[in-house]
Amino acid sequence: MHHPIHFGGNDRGVVPVFSHASCLDHDTGPDHVERPERLAAVIEALRAAFPGLELRQAPAATRGQLLRVHDESLLATVLESHPSGRIPLDSDTVLSPGSAQAALHAAGAGVAAVDAVLNGDIRRAFCAVRPPGHHATASIAMGFCLFNNVAVAAAHALERYGLPRVSIVDFDVHHGNGTQAIFDTEPRVQYVSSHQLPLFPDTGLRLERGLGNIVNAPLPPGTGSRRFCEVWRERLLPELDAFAPQLVLISAGFDAHWRDPLAQMQLDAEDFAWLTGELVALANRHADGRIVSTLEGGYDLQALRECSVAHLRALSTD
Ligand SMILES: [Zn+2]
């Protein structure tokens, strides 16, 4: 199914959303949970909740932007395979005829959003894109991810704008192993994640600290609102405050919602709204309010609708 994404709108009270129609053309097959309907549901829910929502066209990332974090070999796999049908890269990651363009625009959304936020055009942005990114390493596409969208955005902030401190906040229920591996020897980037463990990809132990710039909070299956909020309030938000980032990037996965079929955490939309509000306050303290959030996982359509609306509402509130 291909829902056209209509661009435009100018609701000045609501954070702009970057997206691209090609993100619907990454065809993972009829039985895959990471499907085009996810993005269509998010866009439709946001447009319904925020009349006049400003939807901006995400450009394609350039080779140079991708090569800041990825190897030539991964670019060749994703961009030069030109499959005539679906080909598996591993047991759950698929390349289809439309995947290269989808991956380029998913990564380009974050770059364009960083440009808009750091040029002072806007203070915050949400990138409604797929495929997701946080499992992709420098050289390996995995876990439904082709390019690491948030890593490409962070590297752009470092290289193009010379920012000395960028924090990546990852509340997807899975650990962002790719993001961590890309930046675990990069002192200008802090990576802070809560995630279920055990769960794919089974990384993200608390003892994985990088240079001290990696902060992991693994949570057991069944974890609900109270424990989640406690961990963020007592450990993760103070680590973010201590780092004092000049830009906050969010890997916004909504698969820690109780309805999600891939994990067993028990959060609801209010929990994502609460954490987003805390991140807005953090960005206001250290980063002139600057946040770029990018969609990662979330595999129940109703949860995705509720959570993306709650997230954008909180991002739009000071
Ligand atoms: Zn996930």
Side-chain angles (χ1 to χ4, degrees), residues 134-135 144 172-175 199-200 253-256 262 296-299:
H134 71 156
H135 296 305
F144 315 158
D172 188 282
V173 79
H174 302 93
H175 179 241
L199 186 68
F200 177 90
F254 300 112
D255 39 11
L262 297 192
E296 297 279 2
Y299 303 98

Side-chain angles (χ1 to χ4, degrees), residues 10 22 50 62-65 75 95 118 125 258 308:
N10 62 348
S22 67
F50 307 104
T62 66
R63 287 182 62 84
Q65 290 161 356
L75 269 64
L95 207 59
L118 289 177
W258 64 271
S308 57

Side-chain angles (χ1 to χ4, degrees), residues 240-313:
L240 284 159
D241 255 321
F243 189 74
Q246 287 137 329
L247 173 67
V248 176
L249 304 179
I250 304 178
S251 271
F254 300 112
D255 39 11
H257 190 279
W258 64 271
R259 293 180 61 100
D260 196 89
L262 297 192
Q264 292 78 42
M265 279 179 60
Q266 302 293 322
L267 305 188
D268 59 29
E270 282 308 302
D271 298 312
F272 295 105
W274 170 78
L275 180 54
T276 304
E278 293 294 316
L279 297 173
V280 166
L282 173 95
N284 287 343
R285 285 194 292 279
H286 302 292
D288 293 327
R290 296 181 295 220
I291 299 178
V292 172
S293 177
T294 298
L295 182 66
E296 297 279 2
Y299 303 98
D300 177 84
L301 297 187
Q302 183 55 31
L304 265 180
R305 289 184 193 100
E306 291 174 13
C307 294
S308 57
V309 167
H311 181 56
L312 199 70
R313 182 170 287 126

Side-chain angles (χ1 to χ4, degrees), residues 2-318:
H2 288 220
H3 288 255
I5 300 176
H6 301 286
F7 289 87
N10 62 348
D11 185 336
R12 294 208 157 275
V14 179
V15 162
V17 173
F18 288 73
S19 191
H20 196 272
S22 67
C23 293
L24 299 168
D25 296 334
H26 170 53
D27 175 14
T28 48
D31 301 320
H32 203 292
V33 292
E34 201 293 283
R35 57 205 194 279
E37 287 84 347
R38 296 178 57 245
L39 181 57
V42 167
I43 298 279
E44 286 169 2
L46 294 178
R47 294 189 73 93
F50 307 104
L53 175 74
E54 185 187 355
L55 211 49
R56 296 192 182 188
Q57 288 273 11
T62 66
R63 287 182 62 84
Q65 290 161 356
L66 296 169
L67 286 169
R68 289 169 177 152
V69 303
H70 290 302
D71 296 349
E72 288 278 5
S73 63
L74 181 61
L75 269 64
T77 299
V78 174
L79 303 178
E80 285 148 37
S81 293
H82 304 293
S84 54
R86 285 189 296 273
I87 55 172
L89 297 179
D90 65 22
S91 58
D92 52 26
T93 311
V94 176
L95 207 59
S96 73
S99 297
Q101 283 303 313
L104 284 170
H105 288 278
V111 172
V114 165
D115 281 336
V117 162
L118 289 177
N119 288 329
D121 169 21
I122 54 176
R123 281 196 308 157
R124 295 194 273 276
F126 180 61
C127 301
V129 294
R130 61 181 287 278
H134 71 156
H135 296 305
T137 70
S139 58
I140 303 170
M142 61 178 284
F144 315 158
C145 302
L146 299 177
F147 295 137
N148 193 313
N149 306 320
V150 77
V152 172
H156 187 64
L158 301 185
E159 303 307 317
R160 170 72 179 77
Y161 297 93
L163 291 194
R165 294 185 309 281
V166 175
S167 290
I168 300 174
V169 177
D170 188 334
F171 56 71
D172 188 282
V173 79
H174 302 93
H175 179 241
N177 60 298
T179 311
Q180 175 175 306
I182 287 168
F183 293 121
D184 67 359
T185 58
E186 171 50 79
R188 295 174 292 175
V189 176
Q190 181 191 41
Y191 175 73
V192 177
S193 175
S194 65
H195 43 272
Q196 180 179 315
L197 198 71
L199 186 68
F200 177 90
D202 288 317
T203 51
L205 279 68
R206 189 165 167 164
L207 54 77
E208 296 169 25
R209 293 282 286 143
L211 304 169
N213 60 326
I214 306 294
V215 184
N216 284 310
L219 300 167
T223 297
S225 304
R226 178 191 291 251
R227 179 67 186 139
F228 177 81
C229 294
E230 202 172 75
V231 162
W232 278 95
R233 200 165 40 229
E234 292 176 4
R235 192 158 86 83
L236 303 184
L237 290 166
E239 290 266 14
L240 284 159
D241 255 321
F243 189 74
Q246 287 137 329
L247 173 67
V248 176
L249 304 179
I250 304 178
S251 271
F254 300 112
D255 39 11
H257 190 279
W258 64 271
R259 293 180 61 100
D260 196 89
L262 297 192
Q264 292 78 42
M265 279 179 60
Q266 302 293 322
L267 305 188
D268 59 29
E270 282 308 302
D271 298 312
F272 295 105
W274 170 78
L275 180 54
T276 304
E278 293 294 316
L279 297 173
V280 166
L282 173 95
N284 287 343
R285 285 194 292 279
H286 302 292
D288 293 327
R290 296 181 295 220
I291 299 178
V292 172
S293 177
T294 298
L295 182 66
E296 297 279 2
Y299 303 98
D300 177 84
L301 297 187
Q302 183 55 31
L304 265 180
R305 289 184 193 100
E306 291 174 13
C307 294
S308 57
V309 167
H311 181 56
L312 199 70
R313 182 170 287 126
L315 275 182
S316 303
T317 307
D318 265 330

